[in-house]
Amino acid sequence: MGGLTFGSTNFKEQIEAERERIIHEISTDLQKTNPKLFEEGINPNNWKVIESLIRESVLSKHQLLPPEADQVVKQIIGRGTGWGPLIEFVIGPDADEITEVQIVPQGKNPPNVFICKNGRPIYAGNHYFKDSHDAVLNFCRKIVEDAGRELLKDAPIVDAWMKDMSRLAVSAYSVCPQGVAATIRKSPLTRPPMPLEEMVANGTMPRIFYDMTRDLFIPGGASMSVNGRTDSGKTTLLKGMYGFINPQERVIIGETSFEMFLPHLPNCYNLVEVVVGGKNVVTMKDICINAGRINPDWFIVSEIRGIEIVAAFTIAESLSGKFGSTLHAGGVNEFRSKIFKLYPDLPMQYVDSQIQSVYHFLIFTDKDAKGKRTLMELVEVTEDGYETILKFDESEYAATNGKVRRWIYNKPISEKRLARLAFRGARNIDAYTVVKEKFHYAENTEVA
């Protein structure tokens, strides 16, 4: 009849033991014939090839029924990539939309697992790990060991890179009394950038912002900072905007962890901080200085946190544009305050001059009460100060209980800035020089 067979009345244990034997046998064979099969983990370029090879091996084991074969394939891929029982969040339905996985300890009970999808936390269940401690600890230890690190009682907090460049942050032993807690921030290699067109379709921004990005900001080489609180969509938005960069241009990305990935650009690479034994041996400042020597067309810092700001701004000033960054700030005043705190020895009266020498536009994002990521404000940096070009209408949103998402086109970009962007390649049209429509609605909004 087929299927796993067993010789005692403890059916469950017999089935699991036989499945383990088959998994071990197939994994051993694969390691011999394809030793580099899991070297890069799972990403959109290789996971179907990996799945096909494994499925072929699994189906050769005729004692497995189709449902059992599917389960074995997932288990082998999970073990080989390091994702273990969480592999469905990489290759499962809608996995591309999942950005983060969290393991939350529950004392003596199995841990809860949450995922972050489209900027919103979602409870996935508590069935991924059999027990409250050992299963999660062994899972995290394996990832940490693969990265050349150790998770020990006297080193209970560890950051480690997985094979696919996802990043694990784990807290264990006495530092987390309830059990083992872990967060995996998925590698951008496993989730391609969201196109700006899709953000328009889902109501994150109005069509006019998309048009400005396509016609003005990117072809005109505008320097921009996308700002907001954690998980407000800063990096997602910046990646979407940079989807319009000419593939011929050289792009260098500096970041503390591997988050920004632009696969459509063949002349682009990422430089990431290096930590060994808890010490930074390559810092963001080092990366910025090195990037300046390479003479990029575009330089992107994701995100500005500390002393690297001096080196980053030095490159930005030399480029006179084509500089991008993210920063934790909810508005212009917070942005100015943050720059003042980060920039050593800079008197407050010179903060605005420094910002003006680097940025052409400041962009702010946030999430509403429903977890919807939203473009909040587009601000032009001018010689006279900061001019709001486009702003989300929070009053209308509140008055309609969140039913109407619209933006106020406050004023056009300055003539001087438009001329400069046009000189560097921007396409200027009447809609950018005159405010013809004051209100711009999300595309799925029904306007009475």
Side-chain angles (χ1 to χ4, degrees):
M1 294 176 61
L4 297 179
T5 59
F6 38 86
S8 76
T9 55
N10 194 336
F11 300 154
K12 186 174 181 181
E13 285 187 8
Q14 286 290 318
I15 289 173
E16 290 184 356
E18 180 64 8
R19 183 180 292 122
E20 277 297 320
R21 185 192 67 77
I22 293 173
I23 290 172
H24 178 74
E25 183 179 316
I26 294 173
S27 299
T28 302
D29 291 343
L30 286 169
Q31 182 62 31
K32 291 177 181 177
T33 57
N34 297 277
K36 295 184 178 181
L37 185 62
F38 294 108
E39 194 172 65
E40 297 178 3
I42 291 287
N43 63 62
N45 297 322
N46 71 5
W47 84 262
K48 288 188 177 180
V49 174
I50 291 174
E51 185 188 42
S52 178
L53 285 170
I54 294 172
R55 186 171 296 278
E56 183 179 342
S57 297
V58 170
L59 292 176
S60 69
K61 306 297 180 183
H62 300 296
Q63 64 266 52
L64 292 171
L65 292 172
E68 295 168 339
D70 290 340
Q71 187 175 0
V72 169
V73 168
K74 280 187 178 181
Q75 285 180 285
I76 293 173
I77 294 176
R79 293 183 188 187
T81 60
W83 278 90
L86 305 178
I87 189 61
E88 69 180 69
F89 303 129
V90 183
I91 62 174
D94 302 321
D96 288 351
E97 299 176 15
I98 298 171
T99 57
E100 194 171 271
V101 182
Q102 292 182 319
I103 302 170
V104 183
Q106 298 297 307
K108 295 181 179 180
N109 298 316
N112 290 330
V113 173
F114 288 82
I115 60 173
C116 186
K117 187 175 179 181
N118 297 324
R120 304 173 188 178
I122 300 171
Y123 176 61
N126 65 352
H127 58 280
Y128 294 93
F129 297 93
K130 294 179 181 179
D131 58 61
S132 60
H133 185 266
D134 288 347
V136 183
L137 183 61
N138 291 336
F139 169 74
C140 294
R141 272 180 174 166
K142 179 67 168 61
I143 297 174
V144 170
E145 288 171 3
D146 286 346
R149 309 281 299 281
E150 289 184 286
L151 181 61
L152 305 169
K153 289 184 178 180
D154 56 356
I157 300 177
V158 178
D159 279 353
W161 296 101
M162 298 175 70
K163 293 177 182 178
D164 63 5
M165 297 306 293
S166 294
R167 189 167 186 174
L168 168 76
V170 57
S171 302
Y173 300 110
S174 58
V175 77
C176 192
Q178 288 180 286
V180 183
T183 299
I184 301 175
R185 178 164 287 189
K186 283 178 62 179
S187 164
L189 294 174
T190 67
R191 45 188 175 90
M194 181 184 295
L196 212 62
E197 178 73 43
E198 189 173 328
M199 296 184 214
V200 174
N202 66 29
T204 296
M205 66 186 66
R207 172 65 60 176
I208 192 170
F209 183 84
Y210 171 95
D211 294 340
M212 287 179 173
T213 302
R214 179 196 60 201
D215 296 338
L216 299 176
F217 304 149
I218 303 304
S223 285
M224 302 170 290
S225 181
V226 180
N227 316 284
R229 60 189 171 103
T230 299
D231 202 36
S232 62
K234 302 185 297 295
T235 303
T236 300
L237 176 56
L238 196 59
K239 287 195 291 186
M241 295 178 74
Y242 285 150
F244 292 106
I245 291 180
N246 187 333
Q248 301 294 326
E249 295 187 286
R250 177 186 299 167
V251 181
I252 297 176
I253 303 169
E255 47 193 346
T256 54
S257 61
F258 185 40
E259 293 185 339
M260 182 162 295
F261 178 54
L262 303 173
H264 75 292
L265 298 177
N267 195 2
C268 171
Y269 58 86
N270 299 60
L271 300 173
V272 182
E273 279 189 334
V274 178
V275 179
V276 177
K279 295 182 179 180
N280 282 47
V281 296
V282 177
T283 67
M284 275 298 297
K285 180 180 178 181
D286 298 326
I287 289 170
C288 291
I289 292 172
N290 181 57
R293 300 189 185 108
I294 302 170
N295 190 30
D297 294 308
W298 289 84
F299 182 54
I300 305 163
V301 179
S302 175
E303 76 191 36
I304 291 176
R305 294 176 182 269
I307 193 65
E308 74 274 359
I309 191 172
V310 178
F313 276 16
T314 299
I315 300 174
E317 289 169 343
S318 67
L319 291 174
S320 298
K322 296 190 174 183
F323 173 71
S325 67
T326 61
L327 192 140
H328 281 82
V332 170
N333 288 335
E334 289 178 42
F335 185 87
R336 294 173 68 242
S337 176
K338 197 70 175 283
I339 296 298
F340 172 64
K341 292 173 183 175
L342 293 176
Y343 221 106
D345 305 321
L346 181 68
M348 188 63 191
Q349 62 264 35
Y350 296 118
V351 166
D352 293 320
S353 297
Q354 184 62 61
I355 294 172
Q356 290 162 10
S357 71
V358 173
Y359 294 110
H360 303 145
F361 297 97
L362 305 178
I363 299 164
F364 298 94
T365 63
D366 203 350
K367 290 198 301 186
D368 65 16
K370 301 174 183 177
K372 181 71 175 176
R373 288 171 172 172
T374 305
L375 171 73
M376 298 303 295
E377 192 173 12
L378 167 65
V379 176
E380 180 187 356
V381 180
T382 71
E383 294 178 354
D384 299 321
Y386 305 88
E387 298 287 350
T388 297
I389 307 301
L390 198 63
K391 187 168 186 176
F392 184 72
D393 193 342
E394 293 180 83
S395 296
E396 183 68 11
Y397 180 89
T400 61
N401 293 317
K403 293 181 180 179
V404 175
R405 297 173 63 80
R406 78 178 183 186
W407 289 261
I408 301 171
Y409 191 0
N410 186 60
K411 61 172 295 184
I413 296 169
S414 68
E415 184 178 344
K416 184 176 181 179
R417 179 71 68 206
L418 287 173
R420 181 60 182 167
L421 294 175
F423 175 77
R424 300 191 72 174
R427 173 177 172 265
N428 208 347
I429 60 176
D430 288 347
Y432 307 142
T433 60
V434 179
V435 176
K436 293 184 177 181
E437 295 182 29
K438 181 177 180 180
F439 299 115
H440 290 257
Y441 293 83
E443 293 200 341
N444 56 0
T445 301
E446 293 184 11
V447 183

